[in-house]
Amino acid sequence: MFRIGGALIALALVSAPAVGQTVESQYTSFDAKKCKHRQGTAIEDYGSWLCPGYQKLRVLLSAGDQRMHVTYGNWKKDDIASSQTFPGFNSVYEGTVEWRIEKLPNGKTRPFATILRWNTRTEADAKRDDGRSTGRRLVVTRLNPGGICHVGYVDARIPGANEAARKLADEKARNFKCGKDHPEK
């Protein structure tokens, strides 16, 4: 019994962020008009844009059927973010990425999550014919190692939205299991 309890405590200490661990933000901006564009190959495929990001981690945008996908860094088979989007029309052709960065015990730093504001279509928007999207969602994305995927979403129109997104990133992103855990809504 004591061995199991001790093992669980040890596992929790290893997987949880250290108390007092330094986490900071760095910001980068992108505009698809200034990024390298690759034309789409099918109807309703607008292509992809490779944009600068943080250090060597780039931002990859792709769009089709009035919806976008955004992913970051070195893309591998565990990159679920490249296929995640919202069910309704959305866009994020330009924006500012907040990179959440942790200081490692060896003194190096590592970005572990991003926060990005997306424009999303609301039910009220769908009832109008002007094409405007008034919804705003902050998307928290987990970064490699261990997968790139959406951790959760925060309504950017509410007071304290940025703080809520940072809290979600800092508390959930590092231990989030892409493909198994479900993003928080």
Side-chain angles (χ1 to χ4, degrees):
M1 180 81 129
F2 288 111
R3 273 192 229 166
I4 293 172
L8 289 175
I9 290 171
L11 180 61
L13 290 173
V14 169
S15 62
V19 176
Q21 181 179 32
T22 304
V23 175
E24 61 182 43
S25 293
Q26 294 289 326
Y27 299 88
T28 61
S29 296
F30 65 88
D31 181 345
K33 293 175 191 168
K34 299 176 183 174
C35 299
K36 183 177 178 183
H37 181 240
R38 179 183 293 165
Q39 194 67 29
T41 58
I43 295 174
E44 290 291 329
D45 177 3
Y46 315 140
S48 61
W49 296 261
L50 188 58
C51 304
Y54 175 74
Q55 295 181 348
K56 294 181 182 181
L57 299 177
R58 296 172 294 174
V59 179
L60 178 66
L61 314 171
S62 59
D65 191 29
Q66 303 296 314
R67 292 165 183 84
M68 294 193 75
H69 308 274
V70 180
T71 192
Y72 307 90
N74 302 316
W75 310 286
K76 298 179 181 178
K77 63 181 168 94
D78 57 356
D79 179 3
I80 296 172
S82 64
S83 62
Q84 289 179 301
T85 191
F86 293 97
F89 296 161
N90 62 75
S91 67
V92 61
Y93 286 102
E94 60 183 281
T96 299
V97 179
E98 179 175 353
W99 302 82
R100 297 300 287 163
I101 301 166
E102 66 182 338
K103 188 168 186 173
L104 301 172
N106 65 5
K108 294 184 179 183
T109 59
R110 177 184 79 88
F112 63 89
T114 63
I115 301 169
L116 179 62
R117 182 181 309 263
W118 291 43
N119 303 309
T120 56
R121 196 126 166 101
T122 66
E123 287 182 34
D125 295 336
K127 292 177 184 175
R128 292 190 324 271
D129 249 353
D130 61 7
R132 286 183 37 232
S133 294
T134 60
R136 303 290 180 266
R137 304 286 290 176
L138 295 174
V139 177
V140 176
T141 303
R142 178 199 202 299
L143 301 176
N144 271 324
I148 306 169
C149 61
H150 293 183
V151 173
Y153 314 100
V154 175
D155 186 340
R157 299 172 297 175
I158 62 169
N162 291 327
E163 292 79 14
R166 286 183 196 112
K167 182 176 188 218
L168 178 61
D170 295 351
E171 293 179 0
K172 304 285 184 176
R174 288 171 275 206
N175 297 320
F176 195 85
K177 304 221 178 349
C178 294
K180 293 182 183 172
D181 293 341
H182 298 285
E184 292 189 18
K185 297 183 183 213

